[in-house]
Amino acid sequence: MTLIALFTDFGLDGPYTGQMKAVLHAAAPDVPVVDLCADAPLFDPMGAAYLLAALAPILPREAIVVGVVDPGVGSDRGTIMLEADGRWFVGPDNGLFALIARRAETVRAFPAFAAEGAVSASFHGRDIFAPAAARLARGERPDAATALPPGTVDRPDWPDDLDRVVYVDRYGNVMTGRRAWTLKGATDLIAHGRPARRARTFSDVPVGQVFWYENANGLAELAVNQCRADTGLGLKVGDPITVR
């Protein structure tokens, strides 16, 4: 079943997410809309790209993702509609979908459908990307002649895994952009000079102990059992993590 998933740095407070949902409902009223993530790394398409690549696999293969982490909105940065292994991703061409494209087996990219109404200089999520996603949800597809060259979406200078903080959840657990399967053996993660050993889950360590584990989305995540790892380790989104 087709669904539309929103991945943004807008937050759920304020009008922005609600306005995008209103546009989607008006244009594709029978298609469910879910909030995949509303607090992606602020103004940080690179960090958000690694988070999105970890979250997207839970979506059905026919899903359409509207991704908006877009500090360059209103500039000459391009727009993109990416088909990757059957899912569609619609948003700014600023690297947000680079890891999705790199890890997919089949990829096609196109400029986003042209807007059919007025376009604000500062809210392309509502005025360009949401309408484009609705058109995809209704079964419309871009003209093959408009396809972009292979590799357009990738950022070859970006690493396969990102050794920095990409998200902090409400418990203070700290997600990195590093896929846990790439870390072998008894590897430590170092945050601000403090090492964290690997554990399977929270209950495997004493209360108050720092550790890292493979989270439910496959990322290496720093945590402190029943405490906040972000404040305890002095970490915030964007901070580097060292692998030892």
Side-chain angles (χ1 to χ4, degrees), residues 51-97:
L51 180 61
L52 176 58
L55 299 182
I58 198 173
L59 297 171
R61 301 287 277 196
E62 304 82 10
I64 299 158
V65 177
V66 184
V68 190
V69 178
D70 193 15
V73 63
S75 70
D76 60 357
R77 66 96 183 92
T79 65
I80 203 84
M81 295 194 303
L82 177 78
E83 185 184 24
D85 292 340
R87 301 182 185 96
W88 283 91
F89 298 82
V90 185
D93 184 13
N94 61 5
L96 181 59
F97 305 141

